[in-house]
């Protein structure tokens, strides 16, 4: 009798596990979602400005559904598009990324790269994400220079360790960004400095939301900080949230809009639109893009 009970319990657990895995890999990871946030960063008399924040497409060549969904976001008519890296997951991904982003290239835009724009995915044990000092392993080189040329050729600003003034939505924007801190390509000191007094708005951009970088950006007075990388935890526990962020950011800030501690800056972390190809699952954390309406303080 006891053996039958244990067998039924094991069978039930296996069934629930298989159903959860099927849901996470076949359904939720394709439930593309648009998040909307109001961000109070503008002067009192300013008109709202719309920013579309995209991150972590991790595009494979055959992901036509994701490509169509991202392309449809052009209907939002954003004043500015910001892409925070990890666009590719395959050496042949550039055409797919272009199919997704082509309609958005008509709008003012800015971008930084993530580690998976430079090198492709490597099969790994997902439990290593719980190790704070795990070794980073590079995969095959990806065509990041080709992707850079597509973006800059359309007029988008390359913010990888760069800073510029850009006009969008009738406003002057002071923009700064760093290359991916996750693989130590960042050099914020090379572009640091107080926000320009002539700017109507200031935005700082990074792929991985490392606190050591965000602290410097906030200290310089940048009102809005944008990042990706975390996938929102990718696999979350309802009522508990993200298990890991894969960076120094607290789990409670793994996605969404937050006031950056000790500053007047706002941080928005995108949970991203893709998954690592070797772990194609999402649970309690659907893929997302974010429409940020910047409004008066």
């Amino acid at each position: 009798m006891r053996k039958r009970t244990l067998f039924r319990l094991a069978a039930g657990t296996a069934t629930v596990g298989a159903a959860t895995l099927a849901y996470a890999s076949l359904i939720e990871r394709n439930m593309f979602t648009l998040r909307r946030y109001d961000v109070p960063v503008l002067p009192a008399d300013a008109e709202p400005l719309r920013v579309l924040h995209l991150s972590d497409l991790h595009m494979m060549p055959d992901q036509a559904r994701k490509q169509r969904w991202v392309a449809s976001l052009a209907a939002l008519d954003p004043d500015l598009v910001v892409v925070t890296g990890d666009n590719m997951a395959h050496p042949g991904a550039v055409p797919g990324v272009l199919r997704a982003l082509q309609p958005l290239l008509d709008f003012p835009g800015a971008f930084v790269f993530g580690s998976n724009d430079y090198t492709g995915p490597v099969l790994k044990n997902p439990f290593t994400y719980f190790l704070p000092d795990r070794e980073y392993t590079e995969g095959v080189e990806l065509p990041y220079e080709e992707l850079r040329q597509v973006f800059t050729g359309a007029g988008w600003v390359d913010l990888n360790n760069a800073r510029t003034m850009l006009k969008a939505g009738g406003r002057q924007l002071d923009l700064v960004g760093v290359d991916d801190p996750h693989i130590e390509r960042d050099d914020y000191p090379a572009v640091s400095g107080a926000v320009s007094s002539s700017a109507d708005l200031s935005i700082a951009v990074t792929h991985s939301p490392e606190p050591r970088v965000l602290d410097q950006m906030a200290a310089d007075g940048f009102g809005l900080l944008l990042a990706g990388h975390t996938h929102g935890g990718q696999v979350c526990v309802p009522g508990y949230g993200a298990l890991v962020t894969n960076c120094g950011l607290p789990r409670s800030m793994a996605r969404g809009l937050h006031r950056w501690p000790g500053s007047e800056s706002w941080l928005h972390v995108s949970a991203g639109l893709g998954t690592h190809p070797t772990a194609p699952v999402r649970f309690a954390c659907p893929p997302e893009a974010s429409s940020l309406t910047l409004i008066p303080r």
Side-chain angles (χ1 to χ4, degrees), residues 53-56 82 84 112 204-210 214 225-230 249 267-272:
H53 182 193
L54 305 175
S55 197
D56 297 86
V82 178
T84 49
V112 292
V205 184
T206 176
H207 175 64
S208 179
E210 294 294 347
L214 298 175
L225 318 176
L226 300 179
H229 177 70
T230 66
L249 196 70
L267 168 68
H268 178 260
V269 181
S270 172

Side-chain angles (χ1 to χ4, degrees), residues 27-125:
I27 299 176
E28 185 167 316
R29 78 180 181 98
N30 292 306
M31 292 172 57
F32 304 114
T33 302
L34 179 66
R35 306 286 185 193
R36 297 179 185 270
Y37 298 91
D38 289 340
V39 191
V41 293
L42 297 180
D45 58 348
E47 291 293 322
L49 187 141
R50 300 179 305 278
V51 177
L52 177 62
H53 182 193
L54 305 175
S55 197
D56 297 86
L57 273 71
H58 290 281
M59 190 68 73
M60 297 290 285
D62 60 349
Q63 291 179 321
R65 180 177 178 180
K66 178 162 55 177
Q67 293 160 19
R68 290 193 300 269
W69 190 85
V70 174
S72 74
L73 297 175
L76 296 172
D77 193 28
D79 296 305
L80 177 70
V81 180
V82 178
V83 175
T84 49
D86 275 9
N87 298 280
M88 299 184 286
H90 186 279
V94 170
V97 174
L98 184 57
R99 282 191 291 273
L101 296 180
Q102 181 73 65
L104 295 167
L105 294 176
D106 293 333
F107 300 97
F111 69 94
V112 292
F113 283 155
S115 60
N116 287 137
D117 289 308
Y118 295 108
T119 58
V122 176
L123 184 64
K124 63 189 74 173
N125 182 344

